[in-house]
Amino acid sequence: MNLTQLEYALTLERLGSFTEASKSLGMTQPALSLQIKNLENEIGISLFDRSKSRIEPTEQGLKFLMKASEIVTAGKQLKEYAITLGTEFSGTLRIGVIPTLSPYLVPLFADSLLTKYSDLSLEIHELLTEEILQQIRVGELDGGIISTPINRQGVVVTPLFYESFFLYQDKSKPYRTPPLQVAKIDLNELWLLDEGNCFRDQVNDICSFKEKQTHNQLSYHCNSIDSLIRMVDYHGGSTILPELTTLSLDSDQEQNLIPLEKKVREVGFVTRKMTGKEHLFELLNEEIKANVPSPMRTLNGREVVDPGIGEKWK
């Protein structure tokens, strides 16, 4: 068994196809199949269920591949750490950021961080929470900025800041005195992100939905908060916004905001244990906290809403 074989197996797990994995690795499909079979023979278990159209790990295979991912990632991190010994704050940070944060948060800190540390590079990927966690697990990302808290095996969480929630309604609605009680929101007029977004799960939790809401003839599925804002502006109704989103509204739109009761979403940085880039993570996290509005840096007695992230790797 060697690191190359483990990388082959992890690539096959990620792509779910011998054809796609062999293309990605630059080798023939029979050669990849032989390497995987040799690995399975050596360890004495079947790593993959080949009976389905998409190749998937067996139960034992998934456990083995999780440990293999840690070993392969540690090998890569050792090389990266050796590079950082020559220049203290250098290298590349590959960071995943959820769509409800990325357009509003990244512009706040990216330029200032890279100006201070000219030997550092940032690679930002806008992805859903589970995609970020999966790519951290297999070593494709160094870390992620997501809604926390979470309890996921092998994941280290560093809270960064806390966002209040706001109701954003069309201008025809009468203004209501803040803070607004959630019970007074007309759920039938509320535009929501599509299923699979943790912010959607948080809104569900806040509003205690019993069933999916509809808007008469129009059903709109999206992953963009900006899209929801435009739907309210042009079609009416309302939506719920996290605080950073409100910083990009114009003065007319700001008149349509009403703060909700004291519930917040916690935003945190997540990564694996012992990556070798902890000193770079510290720079990143401090730069983020320095560039968000100061009231967002402390919880100050407010209640954190559950982001609805499960405890196990998918």
Side-chain angles (χ1 to χ4, degrees):
M1 189 190 330
N2 55 55
L3 287 176
T4 301
Q5 286 178 312
L6 298 182
E7 288 178 342
Y8 291 165
L10 291 168
T11 301
L12 180 57
E13 179 200 4
R14 175 168 58 87
L15 297 178
S17 161
F18 276 99
T19 302
E20 294 302 319
S22 60
K23 288 180 182 178
S24 175
L25 293 165
M27 61 194 303
T28 66
Q29 185 174 332
L32 175 60
S33 181
L34 179 61
Q35 288 289 337
I36 298 298
K37 194 63 181 176
N38 289 342
L39 177 59
E40 290 177 323
N41 289 339
E42 182 174 352
I43 62 178
I45 63 172
S46 294
L47 292 175
F48 297 99
D49 180 357
R50 296 163 171 81
S51 65
K52 301 176 181 179
S53 57
R54 177 180 172 84
I55 304 296
E56 295 183 352
T58 62
E59 184 176 350
Q60 288 182 317
L62 182 58
K63 293 177 181 178
F64 177 87
L65 291 168
M66 288 179 66
K67 181 60 67 176
S69 175
E70 293 177 6
I71 294 169
V72 170
T73 301
K76 293 177 181 177
Q77 290 162 352
L78 186 59
K79 292 179 183 178
E80 292 171 347
Y81 180 66
I83 295 172
T84 66
L85 294 177
T87 306
E88 187 176 2
F89 299 121
S90 66
T92 299
L93 280 178
R94 299 178 295 272
I95 305 298
V97 188
I98 55 176
T100 56
L101 278 170
S102 181
Y104 317 105
L105 178 61
V106 174
L108 293 183
F109 72 84
D111 285 347
S112 59
L113 177 67
L114 298 178
T115 299
K116 290 178 183 177
Y117 305 100
S118 58
D119 292 325
L120 185 64
S121 297
L122 270 179
E123 189 178 299
I124 303 294
H125 299 263
E126 188 173 299
L127 300 165
L128 296 178
T129 298
E130 284 298 338
E131 294 173 323
I132 291 172
L133 292 172
Q134 175 66 10
Q135 291 193 27
I136 289 173
R137 183 177 80 81
V138 300
E140 293 181 354
L141 291 176
D142 298 312
I145 303 172
I146 66 173
S147 185
T148 54
I150 66 168
N151 182 16
R152 190 64 67 91
Q153 182 182 1
V155 174
V156 179
V157 181
T158 303
L160 296 174
F161 58 89
Y162 305 90
E163 289 187 279
S164 296
F165 294 97
F166 291 78
L167 181 72
Y168 182 75
Q169 60 182 17
D170 73 86
K171 57 186 178 183
S172 69
K173 297 285 192 300
Y175 187 76
R176 289 171 279 188
T177 304
L180 179 65
Q181 294 180 348
V182 173
K184 294 184 178 180
I185 298 175
D186 185 348
L187 303 184
N188 291 310
E189 293 190 352
L190 200 61
W191 296 101
L192 301 171
L193 292 177
D194 213 355
E195 298 286 353
N197 289 275
C198 63
F199 186 70
R200 162 67 181 256
D201 295 332
Q202 289 171 317
V203 172
N204 288 353
D205 185 42
I206 292 171
C207 299
S208 301
F209 290 136
K210 294 181 180 179
E211 58 185 23
K212 190 172 183 179
Q213 307 301 304
T214 60
H215 289 259
N216 298 322
Q217 295 171 294
L218 179 61
S219 178
Y220 186 62
H221 299 266
C222 72
N223 294 310
S224 164
I225 286 183
D226 281 341
S227 296
L228 298 185
I229 292 172
R230 290 180 65 81
M231 288 303 296
V232 172
D233 288 343
Y234 289 94
H235 192 81
S238 61
T239 191
I240 292 178
L241 305 179
E243 191 167 358
L244 274 185
T245 311
T246 67
L247 302 182
S248 63
L249 298 179
D250 62 36
S251 56
D252 289 336
Q253 291 173 315
E254 287 176 354
Q255 304 303 312
N256 304 328
L257 286 173
I258 308 173
L260 296 184
E261 304 172 290
K262 291 192 174 183
K263 291 187 177 182
V264 297
R265 78 162 171 175
E266 179 183 277
V267 173
F269 181 79
V270 294
T271 186
R272 293 197 70 87
K273 296 179 180 178
M274 297 182 294
T275 66
K277 293 189 175 183
E278 284 76 11
H279 62 305
L280 300 181
F281 297 155
E282 186 175 348
L283 291 181
L284 174 67
N285 294 344
E286 289 304 316
E287 196 67 27
I288 291 172
K289 288 188 281 188
N291 284 280
V292 298
S294 55
M296 297 173 64
R297 299 172 197 164
T298 57
L299 187 55
N300 196 25
R302 296 174 293 179
E303 178 186 350
V304 173
V305 176
D306 184 357
I309 303 170
E311 295 185 0
K312 297 180 180 179
W313 293 108
K314 286 193 174 182

